[in-house]
Amino acid sequence: MASPPPEARLTDYERIREENIRRNQTILASIRRKAAELSATIPPSSPKRRKYERRAKPASPAGPVVLRRSLRTRGVSPGESSASAGANISLAEPPSPPELRTTRFSSSLASSLRDAAAAAEPPPGPEGGICAADGFDPGRELVLRRTNARRVVPDRILSVRILPLADRTMVVTGDKLGHIGFWDVDGLVEDDEDGDGADGVFLYFPHRGSVGGIVAHPTAPQKIYSSSYHGEICLMDVEKESFNTIHLCDYPIFSLCQAPDSHSSLYFAEGNDLKLFDERTGKVSTTWNLHDHRINSIDFCPENPYMFATSSTDRTVCMWDMRSMQKKGPKSLKVLDYNRAIQSAYFSPSGNMLATTSLDDTVRIFNLDNFDDSCVLDHNNKTGRWLSTFKAIWSWNDNNLFVGNMKRGIDVISVNRSQKSLSASYTTFLESEYMTAIPCRFSLHPYKVGHLAGASSTGKVFVWTRA
């Protein structure tokens, strides 16, 4: 007897299931065939990169932020560095904003600033003026002590200034992130219960961009102005230890300067425009278009308050007379042309010479009585994107210039201006085991010959003093 076919032995449920499987297989085969035919008609193409949208930056705090400096409040043990303390911070979740709290200047520092504000006249300079430094020999007399090397701000320093105080050395620095740090070099702070500023350093966070300029006038050293690449100009309230924004610009401010005969007049470079801001009225009174590109430095002649010089990325240095400047199309007294951008142009203390620093790897000195009488020194100014640019500054007299170099030292240039000609040469190389970074920007103490502050891209400041 013949056996029944396999389908006959299936139940009704199993028969329906087998039919569904055959039907689904037929549909899938048809889909695969159509997909193969369609892909054959499309030419192959390289995969496109994924486009990333730029995230909006978080809103900056409305008021200035003051950072505490003690290790205890940052949760760092004395043996740890600040870099290792922040190594475990998650990048996905930003750290909480720092505590809004004053650092409280030491009583001696606050009293010095108050006394300077109460004085009707600025304290006298070195006896005999610039002649007091005629016998000063930087190579033989300047030394860097271990206690005079200190990290003042967290990031790269773009501006440094020694305040014009006769009784102490107070260094103010501004870094790339917008911090402003004060360092009381004269000693430790004894009246700080919490330990903030126990090393004489006080840190603030008033700006939203790189701090490109810090100024304080000798007749009003308690008024400390600062500017940033974010277009802000701030005035520090010393009594409250807060920064007030007194002016906002649409473009970055690359340099800041004060008129020698008025502490309330601020000259700042917004791009390629020079602007005059009157702190008494809180407004910009005059704007001059002086260069084709950004202005990198502004400096007034010490012996002539109407004459000033500007250096620019447009490869020119220009001399100006404030009395003859027109609002539209001002005429310069002299134009000096270069092959590359110029980072600085500063008058000598006597006002008889001008020194410039350029990205064409030169330092040039000009005799202002005869611009044809000049000298050029080769100097490696290729600092790259991670270091602040070099800017050569004058010593306390016309005999020397200071400029940083890539060997973690300071080049001292000796200048000789005789009746016949102008000459200059490298005479000294200042180096120290305590100068662990390249000094890029410098400031002199206006009343203490031999106090030289050099600032680096690591946030450190090195104060050289007389041996």
Side-chain angles (χ1 to χ4, degrees):
M1 182 176 179
S3 61
E7 291 82 1
R9 295 195 298 267
L10 299 177
T11 63
D12 294 339
Y13 169 77
E14 292 174 337
R15 256 193 320 270
I16 294 174
R17 180 174 177 274
E18 290 293 334
E19 291 177 359
N20 289 337
I21 292 175
R22 285 194 295 269
R23 184 169 59 251
N24 291 339
Q25 290 177 344
T26 303
I27 294 173
L28 288 175
S30 176
I31 292 175
R32 291 192 185 97
R33 185 174 59 256
K34 291 182 178 180
E37 294 175 355
L38 182 61
S39 62
T41 60
I42 299 176
S45 60
S46 59
K48 294 184 178 180
R49 294 183 178 181
R50 180 181 175 184
K51 294 183 179 180
Y52 292 91
E53 296 182 357
R54 189 181 298 273
R55 294 184 179 180
K57 295 183 178 180
S60 301
V65 179
V66 181
L67 301 183
R68 301 183 65 177
R69 290 287 292 175
S70 67
L71 297 176
R72 176 183 59 79
T73 55
R74 287 183 284 164
V76 183
S77 63
E80 289 183 275
S81 65
S82 58
S84 62
N88 296 326
I89 298 177
S90 173
L91 297 178
E93 183 178 353
S96 58
E99 183 180 356
L100 297 176
R101 180 184 179 277
T102 177
T103 56
R104 291 188 294 131
F105 276 157
S106 64
S107 58
S108 59
L109 175 59
S111 62
S112 294
L113 293 172
R114 283 193 294 267
D115 293 343
E121 296 293 335
E127 185 178 355
I130 63 172
C131 296
D134 279 349
F136 174 66
D137 185 353
R140 182 171 51 87
E141 299 185 49
L142 285 182
V143 296
L144 177 62
R145 297 176 174 86
R146 181 181 60 84
T147 55
N148 284 349
R150 189 69 54 86
R151 189 177 188 186
V152 181
V153 287
D155 210 280
R156 173 158 61 100
I157 296 176
L158 286 91
S159 54
V160 58
R161 182 76 58 181
I162 298 182
L163 293 183
L165 302 173
D167 62 339
R168 66 194 312 114
T169 301
M170 183 68 178
V171 182
V172 187
T173 62
D175 75 357
K176 180 182 177 181
L177 302 179
H179 300 94
I180 289 183
F182 290 75
W183 179 20
D184 184 8
V185 183
D186 292 329
L188 300 179
V189 179
E190 300 177 354
D191 61 345
D192 198 333
E193 298 177 357
D194 295 331
D196 295 323
D199 56 355
V201 173
F202 307 89
L203 186 63
Y204 300 84
F205 192 30
H207 290 284
R208 293 175 290 175
S210 302
V211 182
I214 298 174
V215 295
H217 201 276
T219 61
Q222 81 285 359
K223 288 191 171 183
I224 303 167
Y225 299 91
S226 57
S227 62
S228 78
Y229 291 2
H230 205 274
E232 308 155 320
I233 296 179
C234 290
L235 171 61
M236 184 180 186
D237 188 329
V238 175
E239 294 293 333
K240 298 180 180 178
E241 292 189 59
S242 62
F243 289 80
N244 301 317
T245 302
I246 60 175
H247 185 68
L248 283 174
C249 300
D250 296 329
Y251 299 97
I253 299 175
F254 295 107
S255 54
L256 182 68
C257 183
Q258 284 181 297
D261 54 351
S262 174
H263 63 79
S264 60
S265 298
L266 291 173
Y267 293 85
F268 65 93
E270 183 182 357
N272 58 345
D273 290 338
L274 177 67
K275 296 190 175 184
L276 170 58
F277 176 83
D278 193 334
E279 195 259 330
R280 296 167 297 183
T281 62
K283 297 180 180 179
V284 172
S285 59
T286 313
T287 299
W288 301 278
N289 184 260
L290 301 186
H291 288 271
D292 295 332
H293 297 288
R294 58 178 275 187
I295 299 173
N296 293 318
S297 70
I298 311 164
D299 191 44
F300 280 86
C301 181
E303 298 301 319
N304 186 347
Y306 300 105
M307 182 181 294
F308 67 98
T310 56
S311 66
S312 172
T313 305
D314 67 3
R315 306 177 182 181
T316 62
V317 171
C318 296
M319 307 282 295
W320 311 88
D321 190 330
M322 190 62 65
R323 295 167 295 185
S324 60
M325 291 187 66
Q326 302 174 353
K327 290 186 177 181
K328 293 185 178 181
K331 302 294 183 180
S332 60
L333 299 176
K334 182 68 177 179
V335 178
L336 305 174
D337 295 315
Y338 289 72
N339 296 324
R340 298 290 299 276
I342 303 97
Q343 298 302 315
S344 64
Y346 296 135
F347 290 96
S348 66
S350 68
N352 293 323
M353 291 181 287
L354 184 77
T356 66
T357 312
S358 171
L359 293 184
D360 64 1
D361 289 340
T362 63
V363 174
R364 301 188 186 186
I365 302 101
F366 294 89
N367 185 348
L368 297 188
D369 293 335
N370 178 14
F371 282 94
D372 293 332
D373 183 15
S374 63
C375 56
V376 181
L377 281 82
D378 294 330
H379 191 273
N380 180 15
N381 295 326
K382 292 182 174 64
T383 54
R385 61 178 298 185
W386 305 114
L387 300 178
S388 299
T389 53
F390 291 143
K391 294 186 177 184
I393 68 167
W394 289 93
S395 179
W396 292 266
N397 53 32
D398 287 11
N399 297 337
N400 297 295
L401 283 163
F402 299 108
V403 60
N405 61 44
M406 299 299 289
K407 298 180 181 179
R408 296 182 181 179
I410 303 173
D411 285 324
V412 181
I413 299 174
S414 178
V415 182
N416 182 20
R417 178 177 178 266
S418 63
Q419 294 181 352
K420 295 182 179 180
S421 62
L422 179 67
S423 62
S425 61
Y426 293 101
T427 57
T428 305
F429 175 70
L430 298 177
E431 60 181 340
S432 170
E433 60 178 315
Y434 305 120
M435 192 152 63
T436 56
I438 298 172
C440 300
R441 303 292 168 85
F442 297 92
S443 179
L444 303 177
H445 197 302
Y447 308 122
K448 295 182 179 181
V449 175
H451 281 61
L452 170 68
S456 70
S457 294
T458 62
K460 284 188 175 182
V461 176
F462 311 97
V463 178
W464 293 72
T465 56
R466 274 180 160 171

